[in-house]
Every structure is written in C-alpha cells, then in structure tokens.
Amino acid sequence: MLYYFLISFVSFVMILSKSFTNKPISSNGTKLVFSNVFFEKLLSFLASRFKIRTSFFQFFLGMQLSNKSLASKFEHGEEEVEKVSLLDLHDLPLDCILEKLSPSELCNVAKVCKSLRKKCRSDYLWEKHMKIKWSKVFGDAAYREWKCYVASRNIDKSSNQHKNQKTILDFLHGFVPFFWIKSKSENYIKSRLDDSIAALYLSLENGKFWFPAQVYNRENGHAGFMLSCYDAQLCYDSRIDTFQARYSPNGRWTIEENIKWERLRVPPIDSPSHVLHISDCLDDLRPGDHVEIQWRRNKEFPYGWWYSIIGHLETCQEQGNHCQCHNKDTVILEFTQYTVGSRWRQTMINRKNHREQGNEIEGFYGGIRKLHSKEEITRWKKLWPTKTVE
C-alpha cells in the first residue's frame, strides 16, 4: 500500500514541478532551477524516511533532469560524447563476455537492468556452473525433487497472494487506479520462484533447498557405519563449505553437520532406500571383485550400501586357474574393515536365487551391484578406517 502511495505521490510532484518557472537571479543570466532542487531534496527525504531503495527515485529524477542537462549543453555549445553501452553489443559477443563471469559476477550484472537480468538468468550460462560445482552430488532424483519444491512453493504463494489481494481490493474498491492493480499483479508474477538452473543454483548456495544424496561413513564415521553409504537429505552451508544431513531411520530424524564434499555422492541406483535392488551381476562375480551390497538392521529401517570384496570359498585353493569359485552357487562376501572372527567379517549368498536374506540379529542383506569404475573403488579405499573395527 505504501509503495503504491509513493508512486502516485512522486508522479504528482513531477507534474507539479513543471508548473514552476525559472527566474533569473543575477545580471549575467544565472538561473535558479527551483523545481530540480526541490524535487531532488524531496526524493532524498522520502528515501531516508521510508527506507526505500533510492534506485526507484533516481529513475524519476534522471528523467526530470535529463532535458535540463541537454539544454545546458546546448546553451554552452557542448557536443555530447556518444557512450558505448554493454547492451549495444550483439548477442554473440555479449554471450561470450557473460560466459566468462562467475556466479557472483552474473548476479551483480543482473542488477543493472531488465535486459541484462534476463540474459544473466539464461540456463545456457548456468549449466556450466551447475556442472562444475554440483554434478557429483546432485542427481536426477534431486532434480525431480527440485521441480516438486518449486511447484509447491508457487502454489502456497499463489494461495496467500489471492487472499491478500482480495482483502486489499475490497478496501480499495472504487478509487484505486487500474495501473496500481496491474503493477501489483506484475510484481506477484516476478516474485514467483521459477525452475531455472540459475534459481536452482542460488537456492542450493543459500541453503534454502534440501536435496537427496548419499553420505559415506554417516554420523561422523561412527564404527557402526564404517564403509557404508546411506541416503540423506542435504543442505549446503556456503559459509564453511560443508553440508548438514538428515537421516530418517524408522521415522526418526538424525542430524549430522560439517559433512565435507568428499563424503557425498549421487545415488547410483535411482530407487527409494526401502526398496530391494534386483541384482543383475550375480553370474559374473569372481573372487577379488569389488561390490556394494544393501544391508539394513531390520525390515523397518532403510537400506544402506556397504562396501565388500568377493572372497574365495573355504574349499578353494586360491591359485589362479585352479580357482573354481565363480562356478559355484555360493558366493562369499568379505568385509575386511572388521577384524577376523567378527560376525560382521563375512557372509554368504546364493547367486542363483538371491533375494533379501538375514535375521533380526545379524541384519538383512539385499541387492548387490558390482563396481566397474576405478574411481568408485578408489573412493571407497580413501575412506578406509585407520584401524580395523571389532
């Protein structure tokens, strides 16, 4: 309401200022431009009194003073020097310049004018920044959640806006100029959260959007989760360049803070954490293969992915071509982060009819995925504990 009043009032003052005439005050032709001085003082007072951004008033002041400035230059015989603007460039060179800017620089350029704001919010410019910083932790599931987040936010905002607008229009019915109502609607449209890559990047940077990913060695490397990887909701803290995670075991949220980038990854399997992964690599497993296997404490809990190595059967001689373990139905999985003799050190599965197996004491083992990437295997090895776990 106050904003619309000021728009109308400033417009009134602009019209009023035209009615003042300039009167000479000296013999040499010097004039007092009363309207300009009065107008500038008034705008400065309003900006400080109502704590409103001065750029709004500067726009009107610039319009008011521009003709006076040109007239003054003409009277003194000055020629105006043509200035080259960034907007005078063609699209190709302008895009080349904007491509070189960092995210913070793009945000600063976007404040210049509407045209540059539209340019600087282009998906083309932000895809590179998104890929460089977020591609290793932000996957397809997170992007789908972002879409839902934007839609939900805009529905809530639309509902609240409708209620507020109805109340205002009931109060102002009969004497509010139409352009005020139009301006209100335009501001509302601009305030809606869009699903652009720029909006996504900035929402991640300022920590407003929680997204799904997976965390290695959850709960600060607790011994009970050593060499595992669990689903979590993540929020970024740009001040210290770390993440906060929320885990949801059995309906109870667990919070962990100060998680570094190297402990995060995009979920390799695009399925909910309570769903059993259907293994497609069982026939190919051989001793020495690196795998991840689903495991959960009980059937109420979500699965986590645990690093393991395929071992030899007890009857195998473990000698090159003499090994026949890959021809047997039984497959040995070894968790060598645990000490020899620990009940968690080893487990067996049947490669022919493997489904979830286990009990309430030792937990339940689910699907298996074979690791083919050296990068994935190296990452697990970097997370290896400094000493074996009991």
Side-chain angles (χ1 to χ4, degrees), residues 57-316:
F57 296 111
Q58 289 171 352
F59 170 75
F60 289 101
L61 182 61
M63 292 181 61
Q64 181 73 6
L65 297 179
S66 60
N67 290 335
K68 297 292 182 181
S69 177
L70 289 173
S72 175
K73 288 183 177 181
F74 180 77
E75 290 176 0
H76 293 80
E78 298 179 9
E79 292 185 6
E80 185 172 5
V81 179
E82 183 179 356
K83 297 181 179 180
V84 179
S85 167
L86 189 64
L87 294 175
D88 293 332
L89 297 175
H90 293 293
D91 288 342
L92 183 58
L94 179 57
D95 288 343
C96 289
I97 294 173
L98 296 179
E99 284 178 9
K100 303 295 182 181
L101 301 183
S102 67
S104 60
E105 290 169 339
L106 282 174
C107 290
N108 288 333
V109 175
K111 298 175 184 178
V112 174
C113 64
K114 289 182 178 180
S115 178
L116 284 175
R117 180 164 64 246
K118 184 178 179 181
K119 279 277 189 185
C120 290
R121 291 183 66 87
S122 169
D123 285 350
Y124 168 74
L125 294 174
W126 287 90
E127 282 174 352
K128 178 187 68 174
H129 298 299
M130 191 71 191
K131 183 177 181 180
I132 291 173
K133 184 164 185 176
W134 293 98
S135 61
K136 291 185 177 181
V137 299
F138 197 89
D140 292 339
Y143 188 70
R144 289 195 299 270
E145 193 154 319
W146 162 252
K147 290 282 190 180
C148 294
Y149 170 79
V150 172
S152 176
R153 283 284 303 272
N154 286 336
I155 289 173
D156 292 342
K157 188 175 293 185
S158 177
S159 176
N160 293 334
Q161 176 70 17
H162 178 72
K163 293 178 182 178
N164 295 336
Q165 193 175 43
K166 184 177 180 181
T167 303
I168 294 172
L169 291 179
D170 288 342
F171 173 73
L172 299 176
H173 179 70
F175 62 88
V176 179
F178 174 75
F179 75 89
W180 281 8
I181 302 175
K182 181 179 179 183
S183 177
K184 178 81 171 178
S185 300
E186 289 176 348
N187 288 337
Y188 161 61
I189 292 172
K190 292 175 184 176
S191 67
R192 289 171 63 86
L193 180 65
D194 62 69
D195 60 356
S196 66
I197 297 179
L200 170 58
Y201 187 98
L202 296 176
S203 294
L204 289 170
E205 284 287 326
N206 60 32
K208 290 184 177 179
F209 176 56
W210 290 76
F211 64 95
Q214 290 184 343
V215 182
Y216 291 99
N217 294 353
R218 59 175 282 185
E219 299 183 25
N220 294 312
H222 187 283
F225 297 102
M226 194 60 66
L227 292 187
S228 68
C229 198
Y230 277 79
D231 284 20
Q233 290 288 320
L234 297 171
C235 175
Y236 181 59
D237 187 344
S238 59
R239 298 170 302 172
I240 54 178
D241 194 29
T242 61
F243 293 82
Q244 181 180 0
R246 296 187 303 194
Y247 309 100
S248 178
N250 201 19
R252 178 179 61 85
W253 286 105
T254 304
I255 305 295
E256 180 182 355
E257 298 180 340
N258 300 322
I259 301 173
K260 296 183 178 180
W261 287 85
E262 54 265 27
R263 288 181 54 205
L264 303 178
R265 75 173 183 183
V266 174
I269 304 298
D270 192 8
S271 63
S273 58
H274 285 83
V275 175
L276 176 69
H277 172 61
I278 305 302
S279 308
D280 57 0
C281 62
L282 296 177
D283 292 335
D284 301 328
L285 295 179
R286 293 171 174 267
D289 285 345
H290 301 262
V291 299
E292 293 177 11
I293 183 169
Q294 288 177 313
W295 182 87
R296 56 182 172 179
R297 192 72 184 87
N298 60 51
K299 294 196 174 184
E300 302 264 334
F301 279 54
Y303 285 113
W305 289 97
W306 291 73
Y307 175 73
S308 178
I309 298 175
I310 304 300
H312 291 273
L313 296 170
E314 291 184 0
T315 57
C316 180

